[in-house]
Structure formats: structure tokens, C-alpha cells
Amino acid sequence: MTDQLIPVDSYLVESLPEIWFGAVLFALGMYVVLDGFDFGIGMLYATRTDEQERETFLSAFGPVWDANEVWLVAFGTMLLAAFPRVYSRLLADNYLLAIGFVLALVFRGLGPELREQRDEQRWKRYADYAFVGGSVVAPLLFGMLAGRWLFGGATLPVVLTGVGLVAVSVVTGAAFLAAKTEPGLASELRSYGIGATLAYLVGVVVLLGTVVLTDAGGAADTVLSLPVAAVVALSVVVGLGGSLLAKRGQYRVWLASALALPTLLTILVAILLYPTIYPPTGLLIREAVVSPLALNLVTVLGFPVLLLVLWYFKFLYGVFSGPIEGDGYGG
Amino acid sequence: MGLTTLLSTVDLGWVALLSPEIASRMQFGWTISVHIIFASLSIGLAPFIIYFTWKDVRTNEKQYARLRSFWVKVFAAGFVMGTVTGIPMSFQFGTNFPQFAEVAGELIGGPLAFEAKMAFFLEAVFLGVLLYGRDRVTDRTYIISSVLVGFGAWLSGFWILIVNAWMQTPRGYEMVTRNGMEVAKLTDPVAAFLTPRMPWMYVHMMNASVISVALLVAGVSAYIVWKKPDAEAWNTALKLAVVLLIVSAPFQAVHGDAYGRHVADTQPQKFAAMEAHYETGQADLHLLAFPKSPDALTDPRAENLFTVSLPAVGSFLASGGDFDAEVIGLNEYEENPPVALVFWSFRFMVGLGFLFIGLALWGGYLMYRGRLSDSTRYLKAMIAASPLGYAALLTGWYVTEIGRQPWVIQDELRTSEAVSSTLTGTEATLTLFVFVVVYVGLILTALYVLKWLVREELQTLGVRESNEGRWRGPIPVVSDDD
């Protein structure tokens, strides 16, 4: 039955493996953008001592963080479904990084959940440590994991990728919060956001410079190509432009430009990985991809669902749009 | 030097005691044990949440608002724990069992991706609405959100069990060489997704979740009713839970019996381990079994046990009616699963299953007499039984998973071949240790959260706590002192 509906020996369309490469990176991008601002909120949370402000921060991402985090699972399972060799080598070769990352996610997720269970100072402090610690360590290690994917064992580029993800998370976190809070708090957040933007842009340039000089992961030629130059230039324009808008108090536009930064970062990752999907081993997309029937099946069943998921997200963010009220969103 | 290299060069001596395979198996087993508690909590609570939400919105009766708010909080805490424990698990396929992920990727990757996209997103997105959106969406959207959350939980179990059932009775693939490695290539999606084991497993697991949560709801309700007999909401919840138990507990026994026959047909080695049946031939059924010596605890050969057995009934059950049917014994195989674990887990699960039927019938009788909330003995029994559903559910999983050893994919891939070749014993043992510590903390926290929720509820109900007649059992006590 399926044999007639879905081709067995050929891909639905000739470029389906490349389309799936795009789909996997799309899920990665959604994760980096959406959970990125959650991490940023977690880091900025450490700068607040006022209980009311802390509550506001938690309310800002309470209804959405869990859904945001699911993009990580979507990314991981899509990678497994389409490119099992890449999934398994990436995680097996970076064992402690990967385990460290998921444990950081455990603490980040539990912190806010536990905090509200009990009205006691010491308890809340521990919950806050878990939340802030997880929010810093998770993007750092996830970025390092991405760095290992791109550049193999080279240390400096790997660490810089991690730091870059931390910085860009602060940018999006600050912009997201600024768009949702009252002007006084927003202008404080703005300065963190602008500082992080500058740090991020410098970091990206230093990272790529290092890669060119040391040819880490054999990526020097790719980095010196036009697409990479274009993405970097665009990041600089968007980052600086966004910072200017933030200075003028146009927080919603700033948010849009801030979210563009991790998007561009993901595009950069895609460029660096194409067509060698696992540079440390030289494995190409076409070599790593699963057989036609399997890929056709996940396409036919999965892509419509992906559209539905995007619609849910539009609905979810619609329900919780607008500024945070005094007591959060109400229960 | 990367972090991995750095840590793997540290020689901690005693830490390197466990081999990568053993440590990985323990780590995965431990992670899934904790995860499954929270996953099945979502599955089992789903019908309660939907019912309470619907009644609350439609009838506007206070008691349903109270029940909804209480159990949605439990659901949310469970869901967060389920998420934070589930993500490490999905990574462990790659970190600890990369050869398995690569060999089976084409078969299991699809269902796992569907779980994330179809079920997990649904649950996470609409739980956000259910938790924070009461004033922001219409009544109808609110009810629909509860249904979608519940549907997501049940759908999630469906896709996961497709993967697990395939590992038990793999179908719909052929082995091919890709990148110099023998991997499974999908040839027939219908056969691969709807394996013989799938319907058995799904029904058994979903019902086990319902039983576990029914016992939990009954236990919490019984505790509150015991403290505050006229708490209307909690009398309702208790009744509901007992009714659900009356339906689900006996059904599990009937279904489990047929499932056992299916296991005997498809995984004779596992069936033999469940019965500690070593010699091929007629099999007895051990109704009760106690070890004669400590040895029999770890190696439960039939003759080393005090048993109350039904002669030949093992054959009867395995074959579905033939007392003389030959049942293959464990001696036929070169390698066997740890028989004792499977044998005792199976007995533990079945024993608890019968206990649940007893509790259900007792509750049914009391309800018929209109004395459900008055019988202190029954209330106490239900409080004590509240964690037992999970004990049965976990031991059931041990039968399924440990019983499949030495195979990770039955008759296709051994667990020893599935483990990472680059993983060191130190790394695996170290992370196992961290997982144990962190997850123990997690379980304790979950119990505390439940305790605080119950205490808060009692305070709302105006119960003043005293130490008189207080419960000294598995549920944390309610007191004024903290």
C-alpha cells in the first residue's frame, strides 16, 4: 500500500536530503532563538535583587519556555531520523559536553518550577542558583557542542562558539524582556543588551579570524567565502542598528532585530556545514542521509505537522502577548 | 585540550570499576525509571484533568475548580520533571548507545521525531495555556486545551512504544551496509510501526498509568478525607479514582494474561526467564515462590524455591490451552538475561496487580454500601497503596527491558555491541553517579512538592494540624512546624 503512495527507491524530490539538512537546521535555529531568550532571561535574572522584578522575569517566560525547549528534542530527533551517523557520532564523541548540557537544562528547568512551591528565603535562593547556573552553563556547553561539530577538537574556536551563544542569548533575553516590561526596567536591560551585542559581534569576528588563521576543522576557505562575509556584515548591521533603536526606546523593533542575530548565527552554521555535514569526519549530506523510503515517510508525515506546530506557537505567543501585568499572567 | 579529554585522563581508581556497558545500562535504566514515573503521571492524570476542567467550566461548581487547580499543579510539576528527565534520555541514545542509534536510526528516528512534533509540542504549548491562560482564552478554548494536553500525553506514549515494541519484535527492515557499517534499512513502514508487540504494549502501559494515577489520586483524596471527612471535592475525587480502579485493575490482569502468551510466542527466552524455567519441556506455574537459600534469590532455579505451583499450568498459559505444551528453557540459550531480576520483578508486578484488584473490589463494596469515606481502614489502605502503582509499573518495565537482554534489538543487535566504543569506564561511571545524585534530588523534590500541595489544600480547608492520630506512612506528614 505504502509502496504506491511513497516512492521506495528514490527521494520524493531529488534534493530531499538537502531539504532535510535545511529542516534540521531550521529546528536548531528555532531552539537557539526561542530557548536562547529564555537563557538570556535566566542570566539577566542574576542582576536583579528586587523580588518583584524577579517575579516579572519569571512570568515573562513561564508560559512558553517548556514549548521552546521542545525544539531541542525536535532538532535532536530530526537529526537522528535523517542523519543517524551524525547524531550518534556527534553525541558519542562529545560525551561529557552533551551530558553536562542536559544536566544544566535539568537545573534551568527545575529552578523556577521549584521556586514557587515554597515561600521561604533559603529555598528560593537554592532554586535561583539552579536557574541562573543552568541558564549560563546550558548555552555555553550547547555552543561548545556546536563548535565541536563545526571545527572538531580545536579548543579556542569551540570555546568562542560557546561564549558567543551565551552573549547572543543575553541580547535576545534583554530585548524580549524590554518589550514586555515598564520603561524604567527596560532601559536598564537595554544597557546589558547593547553590551552583549558588542561582545557578541566582536566574538564572532575573533572566532572567524581564528578559524581562518588556524584552519580549524578545515573551514578556512568557507569562512573566507562571500556568503559568510555577507552573514557577518548583516549581523553587524542588524546588531548595531538594533542597539541604536534600543537607545531610542523602540523595544519591539529592537526585539525583532535581536532575534535576527541567533537566526543569522544558525545560517552561518548551515553555511559552514554544507555540504560536509560532519566536517571532522568529512562526511557529506548524501553519505549520511537515510534511505529514500525512510526519508520520504518522515517528510510526508512530519512536514504538515511542523506547519501545525508553527501555528500552535503563533497561537501561544498570541495568548501571552503584550506587557506583563503586575501579577504575571494570572492562573 | 577539550573537556572530554581532560576528564578522561583523571584516574579516580575506584570509579573505573564499572565497564562502559554496565555503567551505560545502569544509567539508562535509572534515567528511564525516573522518567517513566513522570511520563505515566501525565498519561494517567490526563483523564482527570480533562474531566475536572470540563466540569469546572460547565457547572461552575467550586469543588471542581479546586480539584482542577490542585491536579493541574501536580500535572505541571510532573510535566516539568518529565521534560527535564526526558531530554537526557533522548541524548543517551547518542552518548551511550551510538551504535544502536546508528543501526536503528532509520527505524526509530522517525517515530521519535513524530513524538516530538506531534505530541510533545502539543502538550507543552497547551499546558502553557492551561496553567497561565484561564483569563486569557475563552471557556471553550480552555477546555480544548485540556483535551489537547491529555491527547498529547497519550500520543507521546504511542510513538515511544512504537520504538520500544520494534526493539522487542523488530519487523519491516533489512540489514544493509552504509558507511562501512551494518544498519537497518526501512523496507515496510506499516510492518515496522505496527509490530506484533505494539498493541499489547500500548494497552498494557496506558492502563498501568491509569491504575498508578488512580491509586495516587485515591491516596491523596483518602488522606484529605481522613483529615477532613466533609471535604466535598475530595470525596468526589476518591469516588472517581476508585471507580477508575474498579475498571482498570481487573482489566490489567485479563490483558496481562493474554500478553504473557504473546511474549511466550515471540520472545520465548524472556518468558522462560519470567518463570525461571531452565529445562525445555512442560512448565509449571509458580503462584508463590520464596527462595530456600540466598543463592536462590540471585539464581531462582525452580528447585531452589519453595513454591506453590500449578503443575503444567505454565505450559497451559504459554500455549493458550495445552497442558503438555513444550516450553523452551533457558538452557537452550548461550546467554541469558539476569534471570533473578526478571523472575522477581515479574512476581512483584503480578502480586501488586492482584492487590490492586482486591483494593478495587473492597472499594466497590464500600461504595455500594455508601460507606466509602467512613471506613478509616480503607482510607489508610489507600494512602499506603498510593505509591504502589508506580512500583508495579516499574517492575513491569524491568521484566520487559531486562528480559530482552542480551539483545537491545531482539535477535539482531546485542546490547554489548550497541554501546559506545569511545566511552571510557570512568566517564560512564562518573556520569552515572551524577545522574543518580541529581535524580534522587529530583524525586525527593517531587515528593516535597506533593506534600506542600496537600498541606496547602488542608490549610484552605481549615484543617488545624495536630500530632494526634497522624499518619506515619509513606506520604509525608502534614504539620505546623515548617
Side-chain angles (χ1 to χ4, degrees):
Chain A
M1 179 192 72
T2 9
D3 297 21
Q4 285 121 35
L5 290 173
I6 300 175
V8 174
D9 295 320
S10 62
Y11 295 110
L12 278 173
V13 286
E14 178 47 31
S15 54
L16 198 60
E18 285 78 17
I19 292 174
W20 263 87
F21 171 72
V24 167
L25 276 140
F26 172 74
L28 174 67
M30 288 299 278
Y31 178 67
V32 169
V33 170
L34 295 177
D35 216 18
F37 71 68
D38 298 334
F39 292 137
I41 293 171
M43 287 183 261
L44 291 164
Y45 182 88
T47 68
R48 303 291 103 186
T49 45
D50 179 63
E51 180 66 13
Q52 185 70 40
E53 286 180 356
R54 290 194 156 188
E55 295 279 348
T56 305
F57 277 33
L58 294 178
S59 306
F61 84 133
V64 295
W65 76 268
D66 215 337
N68 293 345
E69 196 168 284
V70 178
W71 282 105
L72 173 66
V73 186
F75 159 67
T77 52
M78 282 165 76
L79 185 64
L80 172 63
F83 307 101
R85 161 71 57 105
V86 180
Y87 171 89
S88 52
R89 289 325 315 167
L90 191 62
L91 291 174
D93 293 346
N94 301 288
Y95 185 79
L96 292 177
L97 269 182
I99 299 282
F101 164 61
V102 294
L103 286 171
L105 280 185
V106 169
F107 286 103
R108 190 284 303 260
L110 282 179
E113 175 65 27
L114 296 183
R115 188 179 203 276
E116 66 178 35
Q117 303 293 346
R118 194 168 200 207
D119 202 16
E120 202 235 330
Q121 277 314 309
R122 203 158 58 111
W123 172 261
K124 290 196 167 177
R125 204 167 59 237
Y126 287 138
D128 287 345
Y129 289 151
F131 176 48
V132 175
S135 298
V136 180
V137 175
L140 179 71
L141 296 188
F142 191 66
M144 287 174 70
L145 209 50
R148 296 269 299 188
W149 188 1
L150 293 169
F151 311 117
T155 310
L156 187 59
V158 168
V159 173
L160 282 174
T161 315
V163 174
L165 195 61
V166 169
V168 81
S169 298
V170 174
V171 179
T172 52
F176 185 79
L177 284 171
K180 281 178 115 41
T181 49
E182 34 87 30
L185 186 54
S187 74
E188 270 189 64
L189 291 165
R190 173 176 80 189
S191 53
Y192 288 107
I194 293 172
T197 306
L198 297 177
Y200 171 69
L201 293 175
V202 171
V204 168
V205 172
V206 173
L207 165 64
L208 295 179
T210 315
V211 171
V212 170
L213 289 177
T214 61
D215 195 21
D221 288 347
T222 321
V223 169
L224 289 171
S225 67
L226 189 62
V228 171
V231 170
V232 173
L234 204 55
S235 297
V236 172
V237 172
V238 167
L240 296 180
S243 300
L244 281 176
L245 290 166
K247 283 246 181 205
R248 289 190 201 155
Q250 288 173 297
Y251 297 132
R252 290 189 75 88
V253 202
W254 180 35
L255 175 59
S257 71
L259 294 178
L261 286 180
T263 310
L264 287 166
L265 180 64
T266 314
I267 293 172
L268 191 61
V269 170
I271 296 170
L272 289 172
L273 287 179
Y274 185 86
T276 315
I277 191 169
Y278 197 20
T281 62
L283 198 66
L284 296 171
I285 291 175
R286 292 265 163 181
E287 293 164 345
V289 76
V290 293
S291 63
L293 177 60
L295 200 63
N296 292 343
L297 190 74
V298 285
T299 308
V300 170
L301 286 178
F303 273 38
V305 180
L306 207 54
L307 292 176
L308 195 62
V309 168
L310 292 174
W311 181 81
Y312 300 156
F313 268 75
K314 191 169 163 283
F315 170 76
L316 181 70
Y317 278 83
V319 167
F320 298 103
S321 68
I324 307 153
E325 292 136 26
D327 56 344
Y329 292 105
Chain B
M1 181 162 44
L3 184 67
T4 313
T5 349
L6 184 74
L7 277 175
S8 58
T9 55
V10 178
D11 184 14
L12 296 172
W14 57 273
V15 179
L17 283 174
L18 293 175
S19 76
E21 186 198 341
I22 294 299
S24 293
R25 280 168 62 177
M26 287 172 71
Q27 184 177 313
F28 197 81
W30 167 243
T31 321
I32 199 172
S33 294
V34 178
H35 175 69
I36 213 168
I37 291 177
F38 298 116
S40 57
L41 180 68
S42 300
I43 291 167
L45 264 182
F48 285 98
I49 300 286
I50 295 169
Y51 181 75
F52 293 150
T53 306
W54 175 68
K55 287 295 254 185
D56 172 29
V57 172
R58 284 283 168 249
T59 66
N60 241 334
E61 277 180 48
K62 257 194 189 151
Q63 59 157 333
Y64 291 110
R66 166 161 263 149
L67 290 172
R68 173 183 68 75
S69 127
F70 183 93
W71 289 109
V72 166
K73 277 182 206 158
V74 176
F75 188 96
F79 186 75
V80 169
M81 303 265 182
T83 310
V84 300
T85 52
I87 288 173
M89 263 189 60
S90 74
F91 271 65
Q92 280 168 356
F93 287 131
T95 50
N96 294 62
F97 300 98
Q99 330 284 355
F100 167 68
E102 192 166 349
V103 169
E106 196 165 315
L107 276 294
I108 67 168
L112 289 174
F114 296 147
E115 191 218 6
K117 283 190 275 188
M118 294 182 192
F120 214 5
F121 273 127
L122 196 68
E123 234 183 321
V125 166
F126 289 96
L127 184 63
V129 177
L130 203 61
L131 279 173
Y132 300 95
R134 184 69 185 99
D135 303 328
R136 293 190 162 236
V137 298
T138 61
D139 285 357
R140 210 164 70 113
T141 308
Y142 197 66
I143 296 176
I144 291 173
S145 296
S146 78
V147 174
L148 290 177
V149 168
F151 180 69
W154 282 59
L155 192 60
S156 165
F158 175 77
W159 287 114
I160 281 296
L161 291 176
I162 279 185
V163 172
N164 196 281
W166 182 80
M167 291 159 71
Q168 310 287 342
T169 51
R171 297 283 189 282
Y173 68 102
E174 64 182 20
M175 298 306 281
V176 297
T177 305
R178 184 190 299 140
N179 297 317
M181 190 166 164
E182 281 271 290
V183 299
K185 179 182 169 210
L186 180 69
T187 54
D188 183 348
V190 176
F193 285 4
L194 302 176
T195 48
R197 181 59 50 82
M198 176 56 204
W200 290 108
M201 224 173 202
Y202 189 67
V203 172
H204 208 65
M205 179 63 192
M206 294 298 121
N207 199 46
S209 305
V210 169
I211 293 173
S212 303
V213 172
L215 284 163
L216 178 73
V217 173
V220 170
S221 309
Y223 182 69
I224 296 175
V225 166
W226 185 44
K227 290 277 177 192
K228 175 89 177 167
D230 60 349
E232 189 193 5
W234 295 97
N235 277 295
T236 307
L238 178 62
K239 233 177 268 174
L240 263 174
V242 172
V243 168
L244 207 54
L245 200 60
I246 291 172
V247 178
S248 55
F251 174 71
Q252 192 76 336
V254 175
H255 182 266
D257 167 57
Y259 183 5
R261 230 162 2 250
H262 167 76
V263 170
D265 286 344
T266 51
Q267 292 178 304
Q269 189 178 11
K270 182 188 284 181
F271 186 84
M274 281 153 62
E275 293 298 335
H277 180 66
Y278 282 81
E279 302 296 331
T280 300
Q282 200 185 49
D284 300 341
L285 177 75
H286 308 311
L287 285 181
L288 289 175
F290 296 104
K292 276 181 192 166
S293 70
D295 286 350
L297 199 64
T298 53
D299 183 20
R301 285 165 194 272
E303 58 267 35
N304 285 342
L305 300 169
F306 285 115
T307 55
V308 177
S309 306
L310 299 176
V313 172
S315 291
F316 180 86
L317 287 180
S319 62
D322 180 5
F323 285 103
D324 297 322
E326 187 179 82
V327 175
I328 300 172
L330 290 166
N331 289 341
E332 305 282 331
Y333 302 96
E334 276 176 29
E335 269 181 281
N336 279 315
V339 179
L341 273 176
V342 181
F343 179 82
W344 294 116
S345 294
F346 182 63
R347 257 140 207 83
F348 197 77
M349 173 191 76
V350 172
L352 285 175
F354 281 104
L355 175 72
F356 302 155
I357 295 175
L359 288 172
L361 295 178
W362 184 10
Y365 170 76
L366 289 171
M367 219 185 300
Y368 172 72
R369 302 289 301 265
R371 295 197 292 114
L372 186 65
S373 311
D374 305 334
S375 165
T376 313
R377 198 175 295 172
Y378 188 68
L379 295 181
K380 280 188 178 177
M382 292 316 274
I383 296 167
S386 49
L388 294 183
Y390 287 104
L393 191 143
L394 283 177
T395 41
W397 268 103
Y398 299 153
V399 175
T400 306
E401 299 301 291
I402 300 172
R404 193 190 50 233
Q405 302 304 325
W407 303 101
V408 62
I409 305 170
Q410 183 75 47
D411 299 325
E412 189 62 73
L413 184 73
R414 282 165 196 275
T415 313
S416 55
E417 300 160 340
V419 157
S420 172
S421 54
T422 52
L423 183 63
T424 65
T426 315
E427 285 173 323
T429 312
L430 188 72
T431 51
L432 168 66
F433 176 74
V434 175
F435 270 108
V436 169
V437 171
V438 172
Y439 280 25
V440 164
L442 229 122
I443 293 170
L444 288 178
T445 313
L447 289 174
Y448 274 116
V449 168
L450 187 61
K451 170 186 164 172
W452 294 327
L453 283 173
V454 170
R455 191 180 53 188
E456 194 180 78
E457 180 65 20
L458 283 173
Q459 276 165 358
T460 318
L461 288 169
V463 176
R464 283 200 60 80
E465 282 308 311
S466 72
N467 285 338
E468 217 174 307
R470 79 184 213 179
W471 170 257
R472 297 178 186 280
I475 290 278
V477 294
V478 176
S479 69
D480 275 338
D481 53 48
D482 56 3

